[in-house]
Each structure stands twice: as structure tokens, then as C-alpha cells.
Amino acid sequence: MSQLETDGFDFFELDQHRLDEEWVNQPKLYHRYAEQLADAREMWEKAKAAKDLADDELKKMEAEIDLDVRKRFSDYGFEKRPTEPAIANTVLVSPQREDYQQKVYQARRRIIATKHRVDVLESVVSAFDHRKKSLESFVQLFLANYYSQPRGRAMGQDRLVHRNDRFHHLLRPPFFYFRTA
């Protein structure tokens, strides 16, 4: 299968300074990859149907060879009616069976490839759900002035020193640590 089409877009990167643009692009991007996921699931289902068809063709061909061996056993090198294991082995080594087995094998490979694509796209769609939550968190931080520049006297250093003095007594261990028995 082909690589994931991202057009150079990195959906793990968010620009916290362009949240409006990120929010405008989010539903478009989500829809784009969700649609690719739906298409991949359709291809996966078609691949499974093709494999089932190839399996049926293989079984039909095996039944035809089995019937032919029973009717014309002398053409297959048997002097008398062959046993069930002999018929089964004759079917297994038939050159016609190899062609049909190759079709089944190729169908299985298509299933594996399309399933892989579905799994990758499911992870991308899930990443977009996480991206949405990240965008929501960025907006909450922005609304809480997380990205604003600090203001005040010397960036609030005098208040910080005063706060540390006020809680200094909490850093000392309690008196019962020093008891003797």
C-alpha cells in the first residue's frame, strides 16, 4: 500500500500562537483522514470478499479434480480405484491447484495490506481526537493568560521572597522526630 498522504502536514505540531487557524483547520483535516479511513475499510472488505471468492474457486477446482480422479483413475496412473488418501494426495499435487493457491495467497496479502492501512488511518484519526483535546487545552491556557508576559515590580520577586518567609516554618521537621525513648 502507498504511504499516508499528509502533503507535508505534521498533525502532531500545534502553533499555540495561531490557535484560531488551528481550530479552523482541525475539522477539515479530521474529515479528510476519516474519509480516507472509510475508503480503506471499504477496500479491506473488498479484499476479504475477493479472498473468499478465491477460496471458493480453489474448493471448486479441488472438487472437479477429485471427481475426475474417481471417474478416470487410470488417466492418473492408478490400476484400480484409488483410496480416499490417494485421491486427496492427487488433488494436492495437481498443477492446477497451485495456480488457484497463488490466487488465494495474493488475496490474503491484499487483506493484510489493506488491514494495515486501516490500522494506520485509525491511529491518525485517533491522533486527531488527541489533537482536538490539545487545542482545547491550549485555548484554556490562553484564556487563563498563561502565555501573557509577567508584570509588576521586578517581576514579582519581592512578593516571592515574602511568601517564602511566610512558609519557612513548614520546612522544619515536627518536634516529635527528636524524641528519645
Side-chain angles (χ1 to χ4, degrees), residues 26-86:
Q26 174 70 14
K28 294 175 191 173
L29 293 169
Y30 186 92
H31 179 264
R32 177 175 159 192
Y33 289 101
E35 192 172 29
Q36 286 183 28
L37 174 59
D39 292 343
R41 284 183 176 146
E42 179 186 17
M43 294 302 294
W44 182 36
E45 291 299 324
K46 286 180 180 178
K48 290 193 295 187
K51 189 237 177 235
D52 291 344
L53 183 62
D55 281 338
D56 291 344
E57 288 176 357
L58 176 64
K59 288 177 186 174
K60 180 181 175 189
M61 184 276 318
E62 287 174 341
E64 288 172 357
I65 293 174
D66 184 281
L67 186 62
D68 194 45
V69 169
R70 290 175 193 279
K71 286 183 180 176
R72 300 180 316 134
F73 58 88
S74 60
D75 291 350
Y76 289 90
F78 294 106
E79 294 177 9
K80 58 181 184 172
R81 288 205 177 279
T83 62
E84 288 298 319

